[in-house]
Amino acid sequence: MSKKILFISGSLGLGHITRDVALAGEIRGLYKDVEISWLAAHPATVVLEERGERLLPEASLYSDDNVPAEESARGHSLNLLNYMLKARSAWENNVKVFKKVTEKYGFDLCIGDESYEISAGISRSPEIKKSPYVIIYDFLGLRATTMRPWERAGVYIGNRNWVRIDSMRPPVADLILFSGVEEDIPDRRFGPFLPNMRRFAREHYSFAGYMLPFKKGFNSADKGSLKKALGYGPNPLIICSIGGTAIGREILELSARALPLIKKTLPEASMVLVCGPRLKDPGLRSGDGMEVKGYVPELYRHFAASDMAIVQGGGTSTLELTALKIPFIYFPIEGDCEQEISIADRAARHRAGIRMRYSKTTPETLAEAVVKNIGQKVRYEEIPADGTRRAAELIGRFL
C-alpha cells in the first residue's frame, strides 16, 4: 500500500518550489510506493502544473503569500513587519485549508517548506496534526534592519514565538530540516533572555546541506554547447532575474539602462531580462541586444549558460549561481532581514557574488561592475550540494 504524502510549498517566489520538486523526485527515487499531493499558491502552481504534479483541488483556496509581500513593498524595499501584519489573515486561512485536506484525505506524512503558519496552527491546536509533520527552513531568526522601537519589539516577539514552537514537547514538527549548514546560522542570541541561535539549531534541527535542483557537476559541460541548446549565440550573455515575485522591477529597469553603457566596451554583449510569472507588464521591450522574457522553466540552466548574472538577493538564485560558479551581482531587497543579513552573510562566507545596494547604484556603476567581472573565473568556496538526497534520506524514517 502506497504512502500518501502532502507537500506544502509555502513562502515567496519560486525558489522553494524549485527545491521542493527536486526533493519530491528524490523521495520517489528512494521510496517507490509513495503518492505525493500538493498544496501551494501562485506562482508555485505554475511549476507544479508544468511538471504534471498532483495539485489538490483545495489549492485554489490556499492563500498566496506573495500578495501581502508585494503590497508591502515600496520600490526595492520591504518592511518585514508590515508584510507579516498584512499576511496574518492569509496564514489563518491556510491553517483552515490544511485542517480540511488532512481530515479529508488521510495523509501518512506532511512536508511543509517554510510553512510557518501551519506550525503555529498546530502549536495552538495539536489535534489538527493527523500524521508526522516535517518542516524545511533555510534561515533562522528575524533581525531588525532599523532602530525603530516597534520594529525591534516585533522582531523580538517573532523570535520568541519561533523558539517556543520549535522547542515544544511533544514536538510540533517531528523533523525540522535545515537546507544549509551549521555555519549559515548566526552564533548569537535570538534576543535578550532567548537562546543562542546556533546552539538551538544544533539541538532541534537536522542539517541536510544545500538543496539544489541539479546534481554536482551539472555545469561541467561546454558552455558554448549549453548556450546553443538554449537558443543563445556565442556572445557574452548576461541574465537578469528578479525571481518569482513582482518585487524587483527596478532592478530590471536599472539593468536595461546599463546595457548601452556595457555595449560601449562589449559591443557583442546580450542581455536577457527574466521578469518571472508575476510581473505582468514590466514596461520593457526587447531590442538592441536585449530580450525580455516572463517565466523561464529551469532558470538554473540559463544561469549556467551565462557569463554574468544580475539578480535579486534571493536565497535560491544566489546559491545556484554559487554552486554553478558564475560571476553575479546581487541586490538584496532593502529592509528584508533574510536577504540583507542571512543570505548576504552566507554569500560573503562563500566569497560569492558582488553585493550592491539598489538605492546607491546608477546605470554607470552597474555597467562598470559588469564589464569588470563578466566571464571572469571565480574562486567561490565549494559548497555541499547533495542536500536534496540527504533530506530525502532523513524523511525516509517516516516512509
Side-chain angles (χ1 to χ4, degrees), residues 78-295:
L78 173 69
N79 183 279
L80 181 65
L81 292 185
N82 284 346
Y83 157 65
M84 293 172 70
L85 290 172
K86 285 180 180 290
R88 285 180 64 183
S89 61
W91 293 340
E92 290 170 2
N93 173 71
N94 288 348
V95 174
K96 292 177 183 177
V97 176
F98 170 79
K99 181 175 183 292
K100 180 178 181 179
V101 300
T102 52
E103 288 177 347
K104 179 179 178 180
Y105 296 104
F107 294 104
D108 299 294
L109 172 66
C110 294
I111 305 170
D113 191 341
E114 292 200 354
S115 51
Y116 302 110
E117 70 270 40
I118 305 303
S119 296
I122 294 171
S123 75
R124 294 191 299 269
S125 304
E127 71 278 2
I128 69 173
K129 179 183 171 184
K130 307 294 185 184
S131 66
Y133 169 60
V134 175
I135 188 169
I136 302 167
Y137 296 149
D138 59 17
F139 83 105
L140 176 62
L142 306 175
R143 302 276 288 274
T145 59
T146 74
M147 296 301 293
R148 298 188 187 102
W150 66 271
E151 181 181 351
R152 301 181 78 81
V155 163
Y156 181 80
I157 293 169
N159 282 338
R160 187 179 64 186
N161 285 336
W162 199 323
V163 169
R164 178 184 64 82
I165 291 170
D166 284 356
S167 58
M168 286 180 69
R169 292 289 181 267
V172 168
D174 300 271
L175 173 64
I176 304 176
L177 279 174
F178 191 85
S179 178
V181 298
E182 192 174 305
E183 290 75 19
D184 291 331
I185 296 176
D187 188 13
R188 63 186 297 275
R189 287 182 176 271
F190 282 95
F193 310 110
L194 295 176
N196 176 279
M197 290 182 179
R198 190 174 292 178
R199 287 199 293 271
F200 182 84
R202 196 180 294 143
E203 180 179 351
H204 296 283
Y205 301 170
S206 295
F207 293 90
Y210 299 114
M211 297 167 60
L212 295 167
F214 50 84
K215 304 294 185 184
K216 188 174 182 179
F218 158 76
N219 62 325
S220 59
D222 175 60
K223 188 184 290 284
S225 299
L226 184 55
K227 282 185 177 181
K228 186 176 180 180
L230 294 172
Y232 299 120
N235 300 331
L237 174 64
I238 306 163
I239 300 288
C240 308
S241 170
I242 61 170
T245 74
I247 304 170
R249 175 198 299 267
E250 294 78 11
I251 295 175
L252 299 177
E253 294 171 343
L254 177 64
S255 300
R257 293 197 298 272
L259 181 59
L261 304 174
I262 295 167
K263 289 174 76 70
K264 287 181 178 180
T265 305
L266 301 169
E268 300 302 317
S270 62
M271 179 179 285
V272 178
L273 303 182
V274 182
C275 303
R278 294 186 63 83
L279 188 57
K280 300 304 182 186
D281 182 15
L284 300 163
R285 299 292 177 263
S286 299
D288 194 22
M290 186 171 74
E291 183 178 2
V292 181
K293 296 184 177 184
Y295 165 63

Side-chain angles (χ1 to χ4, degrees), residues 7-17 19-20 38-41 44 62-63 65-66 83 94 111-118 136:
F7 210 133
I8 307 167
S9 189
S11 204
L12 306 177
L14 287 169
H16 295 85
I17 190 61
R19 73 180 178 209
D20 295 342
W38 296 82
L39 265 185
Y62 204 72
S63 294
D65 273 0
N66 293 279
Y83 157 65
N94 288 348
I111 305 170
D113 191 341
E114 292 200 354
S115 51
Y116 302 110
E117 70 270 40
I118 305 303
I136 302 167

